[in-house]
Amino acid sequence: MALLRYTRPPQMSEDELQRLLVPLDRVETDLPAVLEEHGVGVVTGVVGLEELAELEKCWCEDLRRAASPGERRRFEEAGGNEARRFPLELANRWTHGAGFALEKSLMHGDFSWSVRKHPNVHRAFAALFEDELRAAVEAREGQRPHLVSSLDVPFFSPGDSLDSASVEYGSDGAANKGLEENLISAHVDQNPHDVREGLGTRQIYQGALYIWPATSPTATATVVWPGSHRATDSGGAAPSEVLTDDLAAVMNGAYGSHYCSMGSMSNRDQRRELVEGWKRYARIVPVPAGGLLLWNSRTVHSGWGGSDEGGGARLAQAVCLEPASRRPERERVAKLRLCALGLPSTHWASVGMQHDMVLYGRGWLNSGGEKDSKEGAEHGASAASADSDSPPGLPVCVDWEKAKQLGGVAHVGERLESLLFKGHGSPGFYLTGMWDHQKSEVDDIDTFLQELIKPEYQACI
């Protein structure tokens, strides 16, 4: 199949963007209608300027914690107090695609967890599930319901080095030349043929909290086809429906996969029509700093790599919240497993699906970093071999003192090794990236995982 490419889509005009903007203090009244109509919205003012600076400091500290001593020195020499000065070569090794930070347990650092637990993020998502949360209150006889979070990845592209010593949050600071062409990776993240109970039909919204603004054409950003989640104005089928009715989506659904991409469609005529629609209607969303981009999982969307030199600047955190009533106990334990290993989930908050881009990932059990020097080699050995100090990239949600009580990092690492995906037939795995502790060969693994993860993080899991 020939690779499909498209030229840089236009950034949303001011008029187009205004239809999507919802101030934080109006999410309860305005946000549901915006998402119903357009399938995408931007909540502004979710995080203020001072807190944005604090979140970037958290991210810098997460980068240092994940790095080997040699990598850490390189960051410090480049200006270690600014994430935009993180060495591009390291960033390209630690991320995939449009800056997906899938390595080094970065999705389990202070930065990501600060976003997942942020009250304003919870407020925005709660506005989308008002009826469901109200029903949960009644079912639980007045007990306060809550939302649980996905364990998805940060989006990070440092972009080019900047001339200035600091960056204002009012501009994205990108100075590099923007790419004129990307591969078409347009897709939806909900498949009506998904065999996992309820996942193909329920309302689900994905999000990304932007720390740096995505307002420059050179920025790495999200591209959406507004309105593609619903029937056309002329009464035609929704573009997302055409996409998910394809044979490829039906086959993916049988394996418990929600991902349906335009490029993998088997019906070439319908694929050609959708590609033309994507080229005509796709828009880059210029999200301001501190804004929360939200979209319906049935809205056709994609990432846009902003420059030739590894992607224009972006720092954002992917986040999805769902009512806790949707998340079964089995999936809660599966999410504890991801936390303990330092692995990401996909966008779902209600299931512990290991991200399909790192099905063979080892999280913090991987080597710690560089091996081109004696020091790097020592710290690049298996993390489970060192008991004296915290290994590089240990998830912040792991109770390190409890790990020592449970036999030390080596013993904990050995137990966690048995929970890794090693191919078809791995104990405990069923469908794509799905794990069930009841099918695991490790005794009392649910109790072990619950003891290992700090209680303040479990509330969001």
Side-chain angles (χ1 to χ4, degrees), residues 3 8 27 35 65 80 97 115 122 157 169 190 198 202 227 237 252 267 284 291 302 310 338 345 349 371 380 439:
L3 295 176
R8 182 169 59 201
V27 292
L35 282 168
R65 182 167 48 237
V115 173
H122 279 249
S157 299
Y169 286 99
Q190 189 168 26
R202 66 177 49 155
N252 283 345
N267 187 316
I284 294 175
S302 180
L338 294 176
S345 73
K371 299 183 181 179
K439 298 178 181 179

Side-chain angles (χ1 to χ4, degrees), residues 65 107-117 146-151 327 332 335-336 339 395-399 452-461:
R65 182 167 48 237
M107 72 296 304
H108 291 290
D110 283 322
F111 171 79
S112 295
W113 277 104
S114 294
V115 173
R116 292 175 191 137
K117 297 192 290 182
H146 68 284
L147 299 166
V148 292
S149 176
S150 63
L151 305 172
R327 190 257 303 121
R332 187 186 72 84
K335 292 171 74 178
L336 290 176
C339 289
V396 299
C397 49
V398 170
D399 188 334
L452 199 58
I453 305 303
K454 297 174 184 176
E456 61 266 33
Y457 294 90
Q458 294 195 36
C460 271
I461 295 172

Side-chain angles (χ1 to χ4, degrees), residues 153-437:
V153 299
F155 298 145
F156 178 52
S157 299
D160 281 354
S161 296
L162 304 173
D163 294 329
S164 60
S166 63
V167 175
E168 296 294 332
Y169 286 99
S171 67
D172 64 15
N176 45 359
K177 179 182 177 182
L179 277 178
E180 292 300 324
E181 197 174 68
N182 269 200
L183 291 174
I184 288 183
S185 57
H187 64 279
V188 297
D189 284 314
Q190 189 168 26
N191 185 349
H193 309 287
D194 195 329
V195 295
R196 294 172 295 178
E197 185 177 359
L199 298 194
T201 56
R202 66 177 49 155
Q203 284 292 94
I204 181 73
Y205 305 94
Q206 297 167 246
L209 182 70
Y210 275 73
I211 311 307
W212 296 342
T215 51
S216 165
T218 62
T220 300
T222 304
V223 185
V224 300
W225 181 348
S228 56
H229 66 304
R230 57 175 175 79
T232 65
D233 293 337
S234 60
S240 62
E241 183 179 346
V242 176
L243 177 53
T244 57
D245 277 350
D246 189 78
L247 179 61
V250 176
M251 295 175 65
N252 283 345
Y255 292 97
S257 176
H258 55 263
Y259 185 82
C260 303
S261 71
M262 207 175 281
S264 64
M265 291 179 68
S266 60
N267 187 316
R268 294 189 176 185
D269 291 336
Q270 289 186 333
R271 183 181 69 185
R272 187 180 305 111
E273 290 180 11
L274 284 183
V275 167
E276 289 306 311
W278 175 253
K279 291 179 178 179
R280 181 177 180 183
Y281 297 112
R283 296 289 185 271
I284 294 175
V285 188
V287 185
L292 177 64
L293 174 64
L294 293 167
W295 65 95
N296 189 308
S297 288
R298 293 194 297 273
T299 299
V300 183
H301 63 283
S302 180
W304 177 264
S307 76
D308 293 298
E309 293 83 14
R314 177 162 68 161
L315 178 57
Q317 173 62 44
V319 62
C320 168
L321 303 181
E322 294 183 73
S325 56
R326 292 182 174 185
R327 190 257 303 121
E329 175 64 13
R330 176 181 69 183
E331 300 306 325
R332 187 186 72 84
V333 179
K335 292 171 74 178
L336 290 176
R337 167 188 168 271
L338 294 176
C339 289
L341 286 166
L343 289 170
S345 73
T346 56
H347 70 283
W348 299 100
S350 55
V351 298
M353 179 183 182
Q354 184 169 329
H355 203 295
D356 46 359
M357 291 177 73
V358 285
L359 284 179
Y360 288 89
R362 293 172 49 81
W364 67 269
L365 298 179
N366 248 346
S367 60
E370 297 176 323
K371 299 183 181 179
D372 55 354
S373 67
K374 180 179 180 181
E375 180 182 40
E378 290 172 353
H379 288 80
S382 172
S385 67
D387 265 335
S388 57
D389 297 306
S390 171
L394 187 78
V396 299
C397 49
V398 170
D399 188 334
W400 187 241
E401 292 304 316
K402 176 61 72 171
K404 292 179 179 179
Q405 294 173 22
L406 293 172
V409 66
H411 175 70
V412 167
E414 289 172 3
R415 294 202 73 182
L416 293 178
E417 282 272 357
S418 65
L419 308 185
L420 293 171
F421 179 79
K422 299 181 177 67
H424 181 70
S426 296
F429 280 87
Y430 68 104
L431 300 176
T432 303
M434 303 291 286
W435 179 79
D436 184 351
H437 68 282

